[in-house]
Amino acid sequence: MSWHRFPAAVALALLGMHNVHASPGAHGPNGEHLDGQGTASVSGLARLPDGSVNVPKLAQRRMAIRTVKVAEGEHPQTVELNGKVAIDPNAGGRVQAPFAGRIVPGPQGLPTAGQAVRKGQVLAKLAPVASAVERGNQEATLADLRAMRALAERRVARLESLEGTVPAKEIDAARAELASLAGRQKAVAGTVRGTEAIVSPADGVVASAQVLAGQIVEARDVLFEVIDPARALVEASTPDVTLASRIAAASLPAAPDAQLVLVGGGRSLRDGALPITFRATGPALPLAVGQPVSVLAKLKTTVKGIVLPAAALVRNPANEPVVWIKSGTMRFIAQPVEACPLDAHTIVVTRGLSAENRVVVSGAALINQIR
């Protein structure tokens, strides 16, 4: 061999030794090599025959790809519950019609959904309605009461003019009869021509308004729903009777800033499951009454695993959950894992990773799209 070819031979030998050894972080949870198969060298974005992806350094910077070296630890066990948002009975209410009647706007008009209201504010007025026969009977009764009241007023006036010559008890009896007739006339007149004010049961905003001016409603029809936008109830369901006693904390992925406080678990089945109630508080909760939500409940028991941001978990073409491991300068390998949510922002991987793996925590979705 000529001396001028010796450096080239050394370079080829070193390259072969480099291909023999696995790159750092390229071992599975049981120590197996994840990059054992040889791959053709490529220089651009490409998915290699073994399923791994080649991403040049410049592309990694543009895609904002970030990796971390993971570590295993003990973390609270979590369970995901299905629930829905309900009105907090101590911070809102439902306004129903006390009797059949016609809607009349209040002094400030009819409120609309989203409008702020105060406790005791008149939302609308309800004028009673009746059939022709009932209305005729009420008018006749009202006419009789007017006549009887007029006679009672003249009798009281006459007795008061004879005060001192007639017993005081007769004057008092006449006055009491006049007051009774006046009260009866007022009550009957209210059912014929009067209106009843429909007021807000609490401070808050109108969640729903289902009335129009002149609308005829029946007794117990829901007219308005008033809620406090900073308070709500979340009713989750579970078949496990003991779950409520094992919950340490909870969160809402739909509202990460909301603070959930466990109220308690029911002891009566509802649709085949037991309800667990949480009170949600926070500034301007992005929740609507009746909205279906998922509740992540942290239990008092722990699970051993690796915590990662939720964005690190993606799905491969077979719809399996995977994370991307960096096995070289430009090579990334998809590793199937088993994971469960820890809270609204993080997950815990219970199987599929080892402590030496360098996992992509930012840009995993972009790597997953490379074909």
Side-chain angles (χ1 to χ4, degrees), residues 156-250:
V156 169
R158 185 172 63 255
L159 291 176
E160 288 178 346
S161 65
L162 298 175
E163 189 175 1
T165 60
V166 296
K169 65 180 181 179
E170 292 187 12
I171 300 177
D172 293 339
R175 289 172 178 170
E177 183 181 0
L178 176 59
S180 175
L181 291 172
R184 291 171 59 190
Q185 180 184 354
K186 182 179 180 181
V188 175
T191 61
V192 177
R193 301 187 184 90
T195 58
E196 180 168 339
I198 305 297
V199 300
S200 173
D203 296 339
V205 298
V206 178
S208 65
Q210 306 176 22
V211 297
L212 295 173
Q215 179 181 347
I216 302 298
V217 297
E218 298 294 333
R220 294 184 295 275
D221 282 354
V222 178
L223 307 181
F224 304 97
E225 285 183 336
V226 179
I227 64 170
D228 185 345
R231 296 176 61 181
L233 287 185
V234 177
E235 296 180 351
S237 58
T238 177
D240 189 353
V241 180
T242 64
L243 182 62
S245 61
R246 295 186 286 119
I247 295 178

Side-chain angles (χ1 to χ4, degrees), residues 37-40 42 47-52:
Q37 298 179 0
T39 59
V42 293
R47 186 174 289 265
L48 305 179
D50 64 347
S52 61

Side-chain angles (χ1 to χ4, degrees), residues 8 13 22 44 52 71 108 121 170 214 231 301 328 334 341 354 361 368:
S52 61
Q108 301 179 8
Q121 177 180 334
E170 292 187 12
R231 296 176 61 181
T301 55
S354 64
V361 295
N368 203 49

Side-chain angles (χ1 to χ4, degrees), residues 38-367:
T39 59
S41 61
V42 293
S43 58
L45 284 172
R47 186 174 289 265
L48 305 179
D50 64 347
S52 61
V53 172
N54 187 81
V55 184
K57 279 293 186 179
L58 181 59
Q60 293 182 32
R61 288 193 292 269
R62 290 176 177 174
M63 296 164 63
I65 295 176
R66 301 290 182 269
T67 62
V68 296
K69 192 171 183 180
V70 297
E72 196 172 38
E74 295 286 340
H75 308 282
Q77 190 176 3
T78 61
V79 60
E80 187 172 2
L81 305 174
N82 295 325
K84 66 177 181 178
V85 182
I87 299 176
D88 189 338
N90 297 312
R94 180 175 290 116
V95 182
Q96 296 177 268
F99 51 81
R102 185 180 71 258
I103 297 296
V104 178
Q108 301 179 8
L110 294 175
T112 58
Q115 180 177 335
V117 294
R118 306 291 297 176
K119 184 176 182 180
Q121 177 180 334
V122 178
L123 305 179
K125 292 185 178 181
L126 190 62
V129 295
S131 64
V133 175
E134 292 176 347
R135 191 173 184 85
N137 293 335
Q138 291 173 345
E139 291 284 1
T141 302
L142 184 59
D144 291 341
L145 290 173
R146 286 199 195 98
M148 295 170 62
R149 180 178 179 180
L151 292 175
E153 287 176 349
R154 286 196 294 270
R155 183 168 181 268
V156 169
R158 185 172 63 255
L159 291 176
E160 288 178 346
S161 65
L162 298 175
E163 189 175 1
T165 60
V166 296
K169 65 180 181 179
E170 292 187 12
I171 300 177
D172 293 339
R175 289 172 178 170
E177 183 181 0
L178 176 59
S180 175
L181 291 172
R184 291 171 59 190
Q185 180 184 354
K186 182 179 180 181
V188 175
T191 61
V192 177
R193 301 187 184 90
T195 58
E196 180 168 339
I198 305 297
V199 300
S200 173
D203 296 339
V205 298
V206 178
S208 65
Q210 306 176 22
V211 297
L212 295 173
Q215 179 181 347
I216 302 298
V217 297
E218 298 294 333
R220 294 184 295 275
D221 282 354
V222 178
L223 307 181
F224 304 97
E225 285 183 336
V226 179
I227 64 170
D228 185 345
R231 296 176 61 181
L233 287 185
V234 177
E235 296 180 351
S237 58
T238 177
D240 189 353
V241 180
T242 64
L243 182 62
S245 61
R246 295 186 286 119
I247 295 178
S251 60
L252 283 176
D257 296 333
Q259 298 180 357
L260 287 188
V261 178
L262 176 65
V263 177
R267 293 288 178 172
S268 177
L269 288 176
R270 182 189 303 171
D271 297 330
L274 293 172
I276 299 179
T277 305
F278 300 89
R279 178 169 286 110
T281 58
L285 293 174
L287 302 173
V289 176
Q291 174 183 347
V293 294
S294 295
V295 180
L296 292 180
K298 289 184 180 181
L299 306 183
K300 298 176 182 178
T301 55
T302 59
V303 60
K304 190 174 183 180
I306 296 171
V307 171
L308 293 173
L313 187 68
V314 293
R315 291 190 176 272
N316 61 11
N319 202 32
E320 297 174 335
V322 299
V323 296
W324 285 93
I325 298 175
K326 187 173 185 179
S327 67
T329 306
M330 298 185 297
R331 189 176 176 220
F332 296 87
I333 300 172
Q335 176 66 11
V337 295
E338 292 183 8
C340 59
L342 189 60
D343 55 34
H345 304 284
T346 56
I347 60 170
V348 56
V349 177
T350 57
R351 184 176 298 178
L353 289 180
S354 64
E356 70 167 7
N357 293 145
R358 184 166 290 277
V359 179
V360 177
V361 295
S362 175
L366 298 177
I367 297 178

